[in-house]
Amino acid sequence: MAKGERKRALRGRAGRMKGGRGSGRASPGQVRLWGRHAVEAALKNPDRQHRKLWATREGVASLDGELPTDFPVEYADVQDLARLVAKDAPHQGLVLECAALEDRFLDEVLDGDPARPIIVLDQVTDPHNVGAIMRSAVAFNAAALVTQDRHAPPEGGVIAKSASGALETLPWIRVVNLARAMEEMAEAGYWRIGLTGHTETTFAEALPTGPVAIVLGAEGEGMRQNIEAHCDALAKLPISNEIESLNVSNAAAIALYAVATRD
C-alpha cells in the first residue's frame, strides 16, 4: 500500500490513548495487531473489520497495495506507536486495531480435504509458540489449528506477529472440550498421533496414509493424560540423545513436514 491519503500528521496523539506504554490492549471487542506481515495480511483479509491504523509514513509505504481513500489512518512517530503495543514489540511502524475474527467450527474442517493434517494443541499457552505453529501449519498446507478455548492464548498482536500473516488464513478452531473434538476427528476418519518422548515408536512409524491429526502438549508437562488416551498412537521425533526435547513449535514443523512428504 502506498502512502496514505491524509496529509496531516497527528504526531504525539497516539501516545495519549488509553492503554499506555507497553500495554498492547485494544478497545473493547477489538484486537490490536502490529508488524508489517501481520498488519498487511489483516488489511487484505476480507473477513476482517478494521477500525483504525496508526502508522509512520514509512510503515504505510512498506505495505503491498493501496489503502482505500477513506481508510482511517493516524500518523504517529515510532515512540508513540511503541505506547500502543506490547512492551518492546517490533511494530515496524504499523499498528492496526480491528475486530476479532469470527469463530470457526470443527465440522467445517472435517468436511474438507482429508489429505490436509489438523494440528491439535493441548494447553500450549505461549503466544509466540502458537503463532510459530500457525506459520508452519500454513507453510505445510494444514487444514486447521484446534485448541481448547481455555488454556490457550487469545487472538492478538503477539500471536499475529509470530504467525507472520498465517493468523488470517489458517482456520483457528477453539473448542470447549478438546477430548470430544478428538472423538469427532476419529469419527471422521482421522488418525490421531500424539507427540511425546515417552515412547519408542517414531513419528514415521506411526504415520498412516490417511487423514492425520497431530497432537502436541505444553512444553515440559506434555499432553494431559485424558488427551493421550484419545490418541490412536503416541510417537516421538528421532532426535539426538544430546538434547532432551524440542521446542513445541519446532516439533510441530517437523511433524508437518513429515506428513507433507510421506509416500
Side-chain angles (χ1 to χ4, degrees):
M1 298 177 187
K3 292 185 179 180
E5 298 294 328
R6 295 190 181 185
K7 303 299 183 184
R8 185 166 63 94
L10 302 177
R11 183 176 179 178
R13 185 173 166 189
R16 298 195 293 272
M17 287 194 56
K18 183 178 180 181
R21 177 177 292 279
S23 68
R25 292 195 299 270
S27 304
Q30 307 288 312
V31 295
R32 193 171 290 172
L33 311 178
W34 52 81
R36 184 173 68 84
H37 291 298
V39 169
E40 186 173 278
L43 289 171
K44 290 183 175 182
N45 184 358
D47 295 328
R48 281 282 190 193
Q49 295 182 358
H50 307 111
R51 177 176 176 270
K52 190 171 188 178
L53 176 67
W54 293 274
T56 63
R57 294 188 180 276
E58 294 77 11
V60 171
S62 73
L63 293 170
D64 177 28
E66 294 286 338
L67 284 172
T69 302
D70 59 350
F71 197 90
V73 181
E74 182 170 309
Y75 289 99
D77 61 25
V78 170
Q79 291 76 20
D80 285 336
L81 293 178
R83 296 184 174 96
L84 297 173
V85 302
K87 188 175 181 181
D88 299 325
H91 56 71
Q92 298 176 298
L94 296 161
V95 181
L96 176 69
E97 193 160 279
C98 52
L101 292 169
E102 292 187 4
D103 291 339
R104 301 293 297 270
F105 301 97
L106 186 59
D107 57 1
E108 301 174 33
V109 175
L110 298 181
D111 290 338
D113 184 356
R116 301 174 66 188
I118 295 172
I119 291 285
V120 180
L121 300 183
D122 180 30
Q123 298 191 327
V124 178
T125 57
D126 186 333
H128 296 92
N129 280 333
V130 175
I133 290 168
M134 286 182 171
R135 186 175 185 177
S136 295
V138 171
F140 292 110
N141 202 32
L145 175 73
V146 179
T147 66
Q148 196 172 10
D149 57 0
R150 296 179 298 123
H151 309 298
E155 180 183 346
V158 177
I159 281 183
K161 185 70 169 65
S162 299
S164 193
L167 176 63
E168 307 300 323
T169 58
L170 179 72
W172 181 6
I173 298 161
R174 282 162 278 203
V175 299
V176 174
N177 189 319
L178 195 60
R180 176 56 191 153
M182 291 176 66
E183 291 173 1
E184 293 179 26
M185 293 175 203
E187 291 166 5
Y190 282 79
W191 188 253
R192 304 157 300 176
I193 305 177
L195 284 182
T196 176
H198 307 297
T199 182
E200 294 304 313
T201 304
T202 66
F203 187 76
E205 292 169 339
L207 191 59
T209 57
V212 175
I214 305 168
V215 188
L216 300 104
E219 289 189 60
E221 299 177 1
M223 291 174 288
R224 290 172 293 168
Q225 185 175 358
N226 185 42
I227 298 305
E228 277 199 4
H230 279 79
C231 292
D232 298 296
L234 299 177
K236 68 176 182 179
L237 298 176
I239 63 174
S240 165
N241 292 329
E242 298 299 316
I243 191 165
E244 182 178 351
S245 63
L246 290 173
N247 173 281
V248 65
S249 64
N250 292 335
I254 293 169
L256 284 162
Y257 173 79
V259 174
T261 57
R262 63 184 169 177
D263 295 332

